[in-house]
Amino acid sequence: WQKLGRTLTMVDRYKGLISWSGTMFEYLMPLIIMKPFQNTLLDETYSFVIKSQKKYAKQRQMPWGVSESAFNSVDLHLDYQYKAIGVPWLGLKRGLIEDAVVAPYATFLALMVDPVEAYKNIERLRAEGLEGQYGFYEAADYTLERLNDNEKHTIIKSYMAHHQWMILLSLSNYVNDNILQKRFFSNAEIKSANLLLQEKIPTHVVFAKEKKEKIRPFKGAIYSDVQVYRRYTEIDEVLSKTHVLSNGYY
């Protein structure tokens, strides 16, 4: 434990730990059963992550709360694809800037850190159409390359058990005074190790992610009643106009 790296980054004069993919899951899922301790490295990071999530969402003009989730792409069996999607300046992983996907369970995890802001965002998600018959849907994809004309986002209408689990347990902690944390720490072995969670912010800080990827805000063009056609007045016998469809093996 003492030899672990403590790589941090700084945004708007706030600093916090970085993770592999910058997802809300990586930062806040352990908080379901692990108590926070004020003014510690982890406690500062929890607040820092939510500030970063809100800043990133504002830049991409969407609700906040990005995490690993399904997105608007399906395989041959019409199953949604799934991957870690996070805030670019929080993750060591490259290419995080390519996806803009909001997962409601990420906001519910934030109830344990900033319930007021989390509730406001939950209301916005509901207004965007993410609440279904069995609870909140898996995600909404705002990635421009995966949208049709005139679409601002596409809702991923599926439910994943492990994400619904995090929603329910986060709600349980919020309404029952962090009951799951208390149950976890009622175990003597766990209680004996809680000093590991009380680590202060180190004096000698190693900062990373100084070169941050540039955020491109959504600027989707709206097309309506557009007709595109070509007119051919004669046959080009040298170079004919063709459109070839292949099965990938030609």
Side-chain angles (χ1 to χ4, degrees), residues 230 232 239-244:
R230 290 182 179 180
Y232 301 101
L239 184 63
S240 60
K241 301 296 188 295
T242 61
H243 183 77
V244 179

Side-chain angles (χ1 to χ4, degrees), residues 35-250:
K35 292 180 180 179
F37 294 91
Q38 194 172 8
N39 299 322
T40 60
L41 180 60
L42 288 174
D43 186 57
E44 290 288 319
T45 297
Y46 297 147
S47 299
F48 171 75
V49 167
I50 293 178
K51 287 184 176 70
S52 294
Q53 288 267 352
K54 291 168 66 177
K55 179 183 177 71
Y56 179 60
K58 186 176 181 180
Q59 291 177 349
R60 301 210 70 159
Q61 300 176 9
M62 64 184 191
W64 57 272
V66 297
S67 194
E68 59 180 61
S69 66
F71 57 98
N72 189 31
S73 179
V74 295
D75 60 16
L76 293 175
H77 303 288
L78 299 182
D79 293 325
Y80 282 116
Q81 300 299 285
Y82 183 98
K83 67 178 177 179
I85 300 169
V87 178
W89 60 77
L90 293 181
L92 289 171
K93 181 182 177 182
R94 295 185 179 183
L96 293 172
I97 194 68
E98 297 173 2
D99 299 286
V101 182
V102 176
Y105 83 89
T107 300
F108 280 88
L109 286 172
L111 281 170
M112 298 180 291
V113 180
D114 192 341
V116 174
E117 288 300 313
Y119 177 75
K120 291 179 182 178
N121 202 54
I122 290 169
E123 286 297 299
R124 183 177 176 184
L125 294 173
R126 181 181 284 115
E128 297 261 339
L130 271 84
E131 187 177 30
Q133 184 177 359
Y134 303 106
F136 280 83
Y137 288 121
E138 168 66 7
D141 196 333
Y142 293 78
T143 310
L144 184 60
E145 291 77 11
R146 294 196 288 263
L147 299 178
N148 297 322
D149 294 344
N150 302 323
E151 277 188 337
K152 183 182 177 183
H153 66 272
T154 297
I155 298 175
I156 310 304
K157 293 185 176 181
S158 69
Y159 300 94
M160 290 195 171
H162 61 300
H163 292 166
Q164 297 299 319
W165 162 81
M166 284 184 268
I167 289 175
L168 291 171
L169 296 191
S170 298
L171 283 169
S172 179
N173 269 334
Y174 178 67
V175 299
N176 293 307
D177 194 24
N178 294 317
I179 188 171
L180 295 166
Q181 294 176 2
K182 293 176 180 177
R183 287 177 178 173
F184 189 64
F185 276 85
S186 65
N187 182 302
E189 291 184 50
I190 299 301
K191 193 173 182 179
S192 69
N194 70 10
L195 282 174
L196 296 177
L197 300 176
Q198 301 182 41
E199 181 181 14
K200 299 295 183 181
I201 296 177
T203 304
H204 302 290
V205 177
V206 178
F207 284 99
K209 296 290 289 185
E210 292 303 320
K211 294 183 179 179
K212 301 178 176 67
E213 297 158 295
K214 187 176 180 180
I215 307 298
R216 295 173 297 172
F218 175 80
K219 292 183 179 179
I222 304 299
Y223 301 97
S224 61
D225 300 326
V226 177
Q227 296 181 351
V228 179
Y229 62 92
R230 290 182 179 180
R231 177 179 295 173
Y232 301 101
T233 57
E234 59 183 12
I235 298 175
D236 187 345
E237 297 179 351
V238 178
L239 184 63
S240 60
K241 301 296 188 295
T242 61
H243 183 77
V244 179
L245 295 178
S246 168
N247 64 0
Y249 295 100
Y250 292 165

